[in-house]
Structures are given as C-alpha cells and as structure tokens.
Amino acid sequence: MLSPLSDKGGKPVDWWFIYKLPMNVGPKKGSTGFEFLYYDSTSLGPIQLSSTSLDQSNSALSLTLNELFSKKSEYGYVAWNDEIPPTAFQPKPKNKGSKGHSKGIIAFSKTQNCGWYLLHSTPRFPAIGETQLPEDERKFGQTYFCVSLDFASLNQMAQVVQTQNEGQVYGFNLAGLSPKDPLSALAQQSSFSTPLQPASLQLKTQAGMPLRFISKNKAWSEIKSGDQTGKDFWKDLVGPELGSNMDVETWRRGMVFGDQDSGKKEKTMDVVDVNLGKAGFEGYGWTYDQDHSKWGFSCESKSHWLVIADINRQLSQEKRGGGGLAFENFQLWNFLSAISIPEKKFETQSHKDIA
C-alpha cells in the first residue's frame, strides 16, 4: 500500500507536515538547516521538533521518497519543479519561465487505488532517485505536506497541476497508466485549453480528512488592460474561497502586493517574522527573508483553515500558475497563528477585532 511514511518508525500515516528550519537560528544560532518540526495524522499533542534531521535516511521525507524511488518499487510518479534538479547528465538544466511556480510529486498505484501528493517549496528537489535534501538547500525555511489519496483523486489533481499550476515536469514513471489518464497527460506535458477560472477541488484523504486543492493559471491573474496590478493568489482567490481573512508567510523579493485590499471583503496580511518561542521553542525565531516556505492561515477563531502552497504573494507571481492545499486542523492552526508576526498595516483592525 503506497502511503506517506511517518517520522515515527516509518509507519504509514494518512498525511504528514514538515516545517524545515532555516540555518543559523535557535538559542545559539547553531541550526544546520536540516532540523525540522513534524506533525502527522496520528499526532495527539502540539507539533514537535523531530529527533531526526533531513540529512538522515529515517526522516519522514526520506522514507516516503525512498519507497517510491527504490529499485524494487512498482509505483508510478510524476515530479515537477519550477527549478529542475541538476544531475550528472544535466548539470545546468534550463527552466521555462512561462511554466508555473509550482513544486510537487504525485505518486500512484493504479492497481491498488492509492498514492500520495507531496506539495513542497524547495527548488531543485528532489532529483529522481535521491531522497535527502541537497546541501545547497539548507539555508532557508521550507515546508512539505504529503497527503494520501485514491487514484481518482490523484488524477483530478494531475489535471489541475497541468492546466492551472502548469507544472514543469522533469521526471516520471507511468507504471500501468492509460494514455487517457490525466496523470499521463501531465507527465507528457500534453497541450490543453487554458481554463478561464481557477480551480477549487474538494477532496478527501484516504482516511477521510477534507481537503481543498486551490490553484490558479497565469491567464487568470496576469494584468488586464486598464489595471495597475494583476490578481494575487492569496488575496483574490484563497481568502474569498475560504471566506476568511488570511495571514500569509511566503518568499518576498522585489515588488510585493502589500495590503491592496480596497473593495475586498477578505483581507490579507504578510507575516514578516516567525517566533517559535510563542509555541514553546524558546530562542527560535527568524525574519521572512530567511524563509522560503509558503503557508497561510485563517484569522478567525470560528475556522481553523491552513493553506500549504507553492506560490508566493508578490507581483511577479501574477505571471505564474500555482496552488495550495487547504485543510482544517486546530493544533497546526494554533501553532502557525501563535508563531506569526504579521505586518500591522491595518491600523483600525487587529486580530482581536476580526469577527
């Protein structure tokens, strides 16, 4: 049975979440960049700092990838990344800037009706057959979210990745697939009709946890004639889709959307600092420029939405496809809302004032 494998002895789980810490953080500024926080579907308490690290073969990330890439594996997969991993045969791969700002792997078994989707934020990862984080990707914070799904759901997601995210595929194994399967079309980078509207798939994991796969194509978000800016994935799609104000932590370089929320019911703030001390990890904190992860959470206490994504909240992303997985989990919501320090651009509205 193809499932995400846990950080706790490699046992199968319904889903897991990893938040990799940046380098040089912690009480002594001594983190190596391989340390990570871990939480999965079997966790009973708050998120924990893992006793293993991402340069070891017994991390949930390594174990899950190793099962897929092992020589004995009978499972299929499609892998995409806006920055293709270098290899000995292709040390300087060329990336297509017209493709989406999207990173992930779909692994599947058609005969067993199972598989998983790994959504992550790390450039040039993973090279096919490799399971550990590259040495040169230690510097920044990163997120990894792996969920179990049935084959039909994985095919649905593949169609969205192809037509909305416009994933740049760099490796695949089409074990047992029909040419008519959307997974095959994604792998082969087949032509498609550009969707007029974004996607919001409502799915469930193998164990029944509800998910929303929210994605947008560049045609929807790029600047239209007469407009000053295009549409923001987070402000103009995620917030309205979930009916919630959002705080968002993403990579920020160059021009950013800021809080241009005029005329929008839902408001969005950028997280500029992360302080794990508020969640019990004293001395761990960093600023947004040390973090390459992409996540957000609903600000209202009536909902506990989390979104783990592969696209940033900055103007350059108007011209790229991308998306994220939304789900509700109080423990993770409580953690992310506790550690976040957002920009205070709304002087008349604080988190306490948001209904």
Side-chain angles (χ1 to χ4, degrees):
M1 186 76 171
L2 183 61
S3 301
L5 299 181
S6 77
D7 198 43
K8 306 165 186 174
K11 295 181 180 179
V13 291
D14 191 44
W15 58 268
W16 53 249
F17 170 72
I18 284 174
Y19 197 157
K20 188 192 86 66
L21 306 187
M23 285 182 66
N24 303 321
V25 300
K28 298 181 179 180
K29 306 296 182 185
S31 63
T32 65
F34 290 126
E35 298 88 347
F36 64 94
L37 297 158
Y38 178 81
Y39 196 88
D40 68 31
S41 56
T42 68
S43 299
L44 299 177
I47 194 168
Q48 298 293 316
L49 188 62
S50 179
S51 59
T52 188
S53 61
L54 292 181
D55 60 339
Q56 297 177 329
S57 60
N58 60 338
S59 73
L61 181 59
S62 291
L63 289 167
T64 301
L65 291 175
N66 187 61
E67 183 181 32
L68 179 63
F69 291 147
S70 70
K71 293 181 179 180
K72 296 181 180 180
S73 175
E74 297 179 355
Y75 304 124
Y77 64 85
V78 183
W80 64 96
N81 199 308
D82 49 279
E83 295 189 56
I84 298 172
T87 65
F89 301 101
Q90 194 178 25
K92 294 182 179 181
K94 293 182 179 180
N95 299 298
K96 295 182 179 179
S98 60
K99 286 289 188 178
H101 192 277
S102 185
K103 304 171 177 68
I105 300 177
I106 293 177
F108 61 89
S109 171
K110 187 171 185 177
T111 57
Q112 296 181 26
N113 188 31
C114 64
W116 48 255
Y117 171 44
L118 171 62
L119 187 157
H120 68 90
S121 62
T122 305
R124 301 174 291 277
F125 173 82
I128 302 304
E130 298 291 330
T131 63
Q132 296 181 15
L133 194 71
E135 179 72 18
D136 60 357
E137 294 299 340
R138 291 193 294 152
K139 185 176 182 180
F140 300 113
Q142 307 284 1
T143 41
Y144 308 84
F145 186 38
C146 192
V147 298
S148 67
L149 294 161
D150 61 28
F151 184 73
S153 297
L154 294 167
N155 256 328
Q156 286 182 280
M157 297 186 86
Q159 186 171 33
V160 171
V161 171
Q162 182 193 14
T163 61
Q164 299 280 1
N165 298 46
E166 291 191 277
Q168 178 176 241
V169 172
Y170 64 90
F172 59 85
N173 175 7
L174 301 182
L177 279 189
S178 161
K180 296 181 179 180
D181 283 316
L183 277 160
S184 182
L186 170 62
Q188 304 286 358
Q189 301 281 265
S190 302
S191 59
F192 60 88
S193 298
T194 301
L196 299 178
Q197 294 297 323
S200 181
L201 285 181
Q202 296 195 31
L203 305 168
K204 288 186 178 181
T205 64
Q206 292 272 38
M209 182 178 79
L211 293 169
R212 291 196 194 182
F213 189 33
I214 305 172
S215 298
K216 63 97 174 175
N217 188 287
K218 63 187 176 186
W220 173 82
S221 56
E222 59 190 357
I223 298 175
K224 304 298 189 295
S225 177
D227 294 337
Q228 292 184 335
T229 63
K231 294 179 181 178
D232 172 22
F233 169 76
W234 294 94
K235 178 187 67 178
D236 296 305
L237 180 55
V238 173
E241 181 67 26
L242 301 180
S244 177
N245 297 334
M246 300 289 296
D247 280 0
V248 177
E249 203 294 324
T250 71
W251 184 250
R252 296 175 65 193
R253 295 293 189 274
M255 296 293 292
V256 299
F257 277 96
D259 289 308
Q260 303 171 24
D261 286 324
S262 176
K264 295 292 180 182
K265 179 181 178 181
E266 294 79 16
K267 301 185 185 302
T268 305
M269 286 189 183
D270 294 298
V271 172
V272 294
D273 290 285
V274 174
N275 182 1
L276 297 191
K278 294 184 177 183
F281 303 97
E282 294 299 328
Y284 286 92
W286 56 87
T287 57
Y288 72 87
D289 57 0
Q290 294 174 274
D291 206 323
H292 192 256
S293 62
K294 300 110 178 39
W295 49 265
F297 61 92
S298 58
C299 297
E300 293 80 2
S301 59
K302 64 184 179 182
S303 65
H304 303 118
W305 283 111
L306 302 162
V307 181
I308 312 301
D310 55 21
I311 191 165
N312 301 314
R313 182 168 143 78
Q314 62 182 56
L315 292 177
S316 64
Q317 305 287 269
E318 298 168 334
K319 300 177 182 179
R320 311 290 294 271
L325 283 171
F327 65 110
E328 289 192 271
N329 181 280
F330 175 75
Q331 287 283 8
L332 285 180
W333 177 88
N334 193 47
F335 166 71
L336 292 178
S337 60
I339 68 172
S340 301
I341 304 173
E343 284 184 316
K344 300 299 183 183
K345 289 192 174 180
F346 294 99
E347 296 179 359
T348 61
Q349 190 174 32
S350 69
H351 284 178
K352 293 181 181 179
D353 296 326
I354 296 173

